[in-house]
Amino acid sequence: AQSVAQPEDQVNVAEGNPLTVKCTYSVSGNPYLFWYVQYPNRGLQFLLKYITGDNLVKGSYGFEAEFNKSQTSFHLKKPSALVSDSALYFCAVRDSASKIIFGSGTRLSIRP
Amino acid sequence: EAGVTQFPSHSVIEKGQTVTLRCDPISGHDNLYWYRRVMGKEIKFLLHFVKESKQDESGMPNNRFLAERTGGTYSTLKVQPAELEDSGVYFCASSPGWSGYTFGSGTRLTVV
Protein backbone atom coordinates (compact mmCIF):
# COMPACT_ATOMS: atom_id res chain seq x y z
CA ALA A 1 0.00 0.00 0.00
CA GLN A 2 1.13 3.54 -0.69
CA SER A 3 2.24 5.65 2.24
CA VAL A 4 4.27 8.70 3.12
CA ALA A 5 6.23 9.49 6.25
CA GLN A 6 7.17 12.85 7.65
CA PRO A 7 9.72 12.09 10.36
CA GLU A 8 9.70 15.55 11.94
CA ASP A 9 6.72 16.90 13.84
CA GLN A 10 8.29 20.34 13.96
CA VAL A 11 11.03 22.20 12.13
CA ASN A 12 12.42 25.47 13.44
CA VAL A 13 14.43 27.78 11.19
CA ALA A 14 15.69 31.33 11.44
CA GLU A 15 14.39 33.78 8.86
CA GLY A 16 16.70 34.01 5.88
CA ASN A 17 18.13 30.53 6.38
CA PRO A 18 17.41 27.63 4.05
CA LEU A 19 14.72 25.21 5.13
CA THR A 20 14.05 21.55 4.47
CA VAL A 21 10.94 19.58 5.39
CA LYS A 22 11.50 15.86 4.99
CA CYS A 23 9.25 13.30 3.36
CA THR A 24 9.81 9.69 2.40
CA TYR A 25 7.39 7.55 0.47
CA SER A 26 6.50 3.96 -0.21
CA VAL A 27 4.68 3.14 -3.43
CA SER A 28 4.27 0.37 -5.91
CA GLY A 29 4.79 1.67 -9.40
CA ASN A 30 5.49 5.26 -10.34
CA PRO A 31 4.96 7.73 -7.52
CA TYR A 32 2.73 10.77 -7.84
CA LEU A 33 3.82 13.03 -5.01
CA PHE A 34 2.46 16.28 -3.63
CA TRP A 35 3.10 18.93 -1.04
CA TYR A 36 0.29 20.89 0.56
CA VAL A 37 0.40 23.68 3.11
CA GLN A 38 -2.14 24.75 5.70
CA TYR A 39 -1.83 28.24 7.07
CA PRO A 40 -3.54 29.05 10.39
CA ASN A 41 -7.32 29.05 10.05
CA ARG A 42 -7.09 28.32 6.35
CA GLY A 43 -7.69 25.31 4.14
CA LEU A 44 -5.15 23.12 2.43
CA GLN A 45 -3.29 24.80 -0.39
CA PHE A 46 -1.45 23.01 -3.16
CA LEU A 47 2.28 23.81 -3.32
CA LEU A 48 3.72 21.49 -5.93
CA LYS A 49 3.63 18.01 -7.39
CA TYR A 50 5.87 15.45 -9.01
CA ILE A 51 4.39 13.24 -11.70
CA THR A 52 7.29 12.67 -14.06
CA GLY A 53 10.18 14.58 -15.56
CA ASP A 54 12.79 16.68 -13.77
CA ASN A 55 13.61 15.57 -10.27
CA LEU A 56 13.59 19.16 -9.03
CA VAL A 57 10.07 20.50 -8.95
CA LYS A 58 9.36 24.18 -8.44
CA GLY A 59 6.16 25.31 -6.79
CA SER A 60 4.36 28.20 -5.21
CA TYR A 61 5.86 30.80 -2.84
CA GLY A 62 9.44 29.95 -3.80
CA PHE A 63 9.26 26.35 -2.62
CA GLU A 64 10.78 23.44 -4.46
CA ALA A 65 11.04 19.73 -3.86
CA GLU A 66 13.57 17.18 -4.95
CA PHE A 67 12.42 13.73 -6.00
CA ASN A 68 15.04 11.10 -5.15
CA LYS A 69 14.10 7.65 -6.36
CA SER A 70 17.01 5.80 -4.78
CA GLN A 71 16.27 7.27 -1.35
CA THR A 72 12.48 7.26 -1.91
CA SER A 73 12.38 10.84 -0.70
CA PHE A 74 10.60 14.01 -1.74
CA HIS A 75 11.93 16.70 0.58
CA LEU A 76 10.50 20.20 0.45
CA LYS A 77 13.03 23.03 0.33
CA LYS A 78 13.33 26.78 0.19
CA PRO A 79 16.61 28.69 -0.07
CA SER A 80 15.61 31.54 2.23
CA ALA A 81 12.83 31.18 4.78
CA LEU A 82 10.29 33.89 5.56
CA VAL A 83 8.35 34.32 8.78
CA SER A 84 5.20 34.04 6.66
CA ASP A 85 6.21 30.49 5.69
CA SER A 86 5.27 29.36 9.19
CA ALA A 87 2.50 26.81 8.69
CA LEU A 88 1.67 23.12 8.65
CA TYR A 89 3.07 21.18 5.70
CA PHE A 90 1.78 17.89 4.40
CA CYS A 91 3.46 15.50 2.02
CA ALA A 92 1.11 13.24 0.07
CA VAL A 93 1.06 10.44 -2.47
CA ARG A 94 -1.66 9.38 -4.87
CA ASP A 95 -2.62 5.77 -4.51
CA SER A 96 -3.76 3.36 -7.18
CA ALA A 97 -7.40 4.25 -6.55
CA SER A 98 -6.73 7.94 -7.24
CA LYS A 99 -7.15 9.12 -3.68
CA ILE A 100 -4.42 11.04 -1.91
CA ILE A 101 -2.71 9.62 1.15
CA PHE A 102 -1.28 12.26 3.47
CA GLY A 103 1.61 12.22 5.85
CA SER A 104 1.19 13.26 9.45
CA GLY A 105 2.29 16.83 8.80
CA THR A 106 5.25 18.94 9.86
CA ARG A 107 4.84 22.22 11.63
CA LEU A 108 7.32 24.75 10.26
CA SER A 109 8.18 27.66 12.50
CA ILE A 110 10.30 30.51 11.19
CA ARG A 111 11.69 32.85 13.83
CA PRO A 112 12.52 36.46 12.96
CA GLU B 1 -13.07 30.40 -11.11
CA ALA B 2 -14.74 29.88 -7.75
CA GLY B 3 -12.97 27.48 -5.45
CA VAL B 4 -14.28 24.66 -3.32
CA THR B 5 -16.67 26.05 -0.76
CA GLN B 6 -17.41 24.44 2.56
CA PHE B 7 -19.86 25.47 5.24
CA PRO B 8 -20.21 25.99 7.99
CA SER B 9 -16.63 26.96 8.71
CA HIS B 10 -17.12 26.08 12.37
CA SER B 11 -19.70 24.00 14.18
CA VAL B 12 -20.01 23.26 17.87
CA ILE B 13 -22.58 20.65 18.82
CA GLU B 14 -23.38 18.49 21.78
CA LYS B 15 -22.72 14.79 21.85
CA GLY B 16 -25.69 12.95 20.41
CA GLN B 17 -26.79 15.76 18.11
CA THR B 18 -26.74 15.71 14.34
CA VAL B 19 -24.57 17.86 12.14
CA THR B 20 -24.55 18.24 8.37
CA LEU B 21 -21.53 19.57 6.55
CA ARG B 22 -21.79 20.83 3.01
CA CYS B 23 -19.29 21.03 0.19
CA ASP B 24 -19.72 22.82 -3.12
CA PRO B 25 -17.04 21.65 -5.55
CA ILE B 26 -15.65 23.59 -8.45
CA SER B 27 -18.19 23.55 -11.25
CA GLY B 28 -17.55 20.73 -13.68
CA HIS B 29 -15.40 18.67 -11.32
CA ASP B 30 -16.76 15.14 -11.35
CA ASN B 31 -14.55 13.95 -8.51
CA LEU B 32 -15.34 14.99 -4.96
CA TYR B 33 -13.48 13.78 -1.89
CA TRP B 34 -14.01 14.07 1.84
CA TYR B 35 -11.12 13.96 4.29
CA ARG B 36 -10.77 14.70 7.98
CA ARG B 37 -8.02 15.53 10.42
CA VAL B 38 -8.79 14.41 13.93
CA MET B 39 -6.91 15.43 17.10
CA GLY B 40 -3.97 16.88 15.21
CA LYS B 41 -3.23 13.59 13.51
CA GLU B 42 -2.78 12.91 9.83
CA ILE B 43 -5.40 13.82 7.28
CA LYS B 44 -7.42 10.72 6.53
CA PHE B 45 -9.50 9.86 3.51
CA LEU B 46 -13.20 9.32 4.08
CA LEU B 47 -14.76 8.82 0.68
CA HIS B 48 -14.71 9.63 -3.01
CA PHE B 49 -17.60 10.49 -5.32
CA VAL B 50 -17.53 10.36 -9.07
CA LYS B 51 -20.48 12.47 -10.04
CA GLU B 52 -23.29 11.21 -7.82
CA SER B 53 -21.86 7.73 -7.28
CA LYS B 54 -19.72 6.62 -4.37
CA GLN B 55 -16.51 5.37 -5.92
CA ASP B 56 -14.75 4.53 -2.69
CA GLU B 57 -16.11 4.84 0.84
CA SER B 58 -13.50 2.70 2.52
CA GLY B 59 -12.50 5.50 4.88
CA MET B 60 -15.89 6.11 6.42
CA PRO B 61 -15.39 5.31 10.10
CA ASN B 62 -18.82 3.86 10.91
CA ASN B 63 -22.50 4.01 10.04
CA ARG B 64 -22.99 7.26 11.94
CA PHE B 65 -21.53 8.98 8.90
CA LEU B 66 -23.63 9.41 5.76
CA ALA B 67 -22.46 11.17 2.64
CA GLU B 68 -24.54 12.15 -0.33
CA ARG B 69 -23.98 14.00 -3.54
CA THR B 70 -27.20 15.16 -5.05
CA GLY B 71 -27.21 15.24 -8.84
CA GLY B 72 -23.45 15.12 -8.91
CA THR B 73 -23.15 18.69 -7.68
CA TYR B 74 -22.77 19.61 -4.02
CA SER B 75 -22.19 17.03 -1.33
CA THR B 76 -23.27 16.71 2.27
CA LEU B 77 -21.72 14.74 5.08
CA LYS B 78 -24.04 14.02 7.97
CA VAL B 79 -22.90 12.79 11.35
CA GLN B 80 -25.71 11.28 13.41
CA PRO B 81 -25.40 10.99 16.34
CA ALA B 82 -22.16 12.86 16.85
CA GLU B 83 -19.60 11.54 19.32
CA LEU B 84 -16.70 13.31 21.01
CA GLU B 85 -14.15 11.53 18.84
CA ASP B 86 -15.73 13.02 15.72
CA SER B 87 -14.23 16.41 16.56
CA GLY B 88 -11.76 17.58 13.97
CA VAL B 89 -11.45 19.40 10.70
CA TYR B 90 -13.35 18.02 7.74
CA PHE B 91 -11.96 18.87 4.33
CA CYS B 92 -13.59 18.55 0.97
CA ALA B 93 -11.69 18.50 -2.31
CA SER B 94 -12.65 18.31 -5.95
CA SER B 95 -10.80 17.53 -9.13
CA PRO B 96 -11.53 17.07 -12.81
CA GLY B 97 -9.14 14.14 -12.94
CA TRP B 98 -6.42 12.75 -10.74
CA SER B 99 -3.52 15.10 -11.17
CA GLY B 100 -4.34 17.21 -8.19
CA TYR B 101 -7.08 18.37 -5.96
CA THR B 102 -8.41 21.74 -4.91
CA PHE B 103 -9.32 21.75 -1.26
CA GLY B 104 -11.88 23.80 0.55
CA SER B 105 -11.12 25.71 3.73
CA GLY B 106 -12.53 22.96 5.89
CA THR B 107 -15.19 22.74 8.57
CA ARG B 108 -13.95 22.63 12.13
CA LEU B 109 -16.32 20.40 14.08
CA THR B 110 -16.27 20.40 17.84
CA VAL B 111 -18.42 17.91 19.72
CA VAL B 112 -18.83 18.71 23.40
Side-chain angles (χ1 to χ4, degrees), chain B residues 70-87:
Chain B
T70 307
T73 55
Y74 71 91
S75 175
T76 57
L77 180 64
K78 180 189 289 187
V79 185
Q80 180 182 28
E83 299 290 343
L84 298 179
E85 63 265 25
D86 300 330
S87 296

Side-chain angles (χ1 to χ4, degrees), chain A residues 3 9-10 30 33 41 43 58 67 71 78 81-83 89 112:
Chain A
S3 66
D9 290 336
Q10 174 124 7
N30 295 322
L33 298 159
N41 300 314
K58 294 189 182 296
F67 171 68
Q71 297 185 3
K78 187 172 181 180
L82 299 172
V83 172
Y89 291 80

Side-chain angles (χ1 to χ4, degrees), chain B residues 20-97:
Chain B
T20 300
L21 313 181
R22 173 166 168 153
C23 170
D24 285 55
I26 292 173
S27 178
H29 283 193
D30 287 342
N31 295 281
L32 187 149
Y33 304 81
W34 283 98
Y35 288 80
R36 73 172 180 176
R37 186 168 188 247
V38 173
M39 295 292 289
K41 297 182 179 177
E42 66 266 30
I43 301 170
K44 289 208 166 182
F45 168 81
L46 294 178
L47 87 159
H48 170 205
F49 283 100
V50 178
K51 297 185 180 179
E52 68 274 11
S53 300
K54 293 176 184 175
Q55 181 77 11
D56 181 354
E57 51 184 332
S58 60
M60 295 288 265
N62 52 61
N63 59 10
R64 295 185 294 105
F65 288 75
L66 175 64
E68 295 179 323
R69 189 179 183 193
T70 307
T73 55
Y74 71 91
S75 175
T76 57
L77 180 64
K78 180 189 289 187
V79 185
Q80 180 182 28
E83 299 290 343
L84 298 179
E85 63 265 25
D86 300 330
S87 296
V89 181
Y90 289 76
F91 292 103
C92 174
S94 73
S95 74

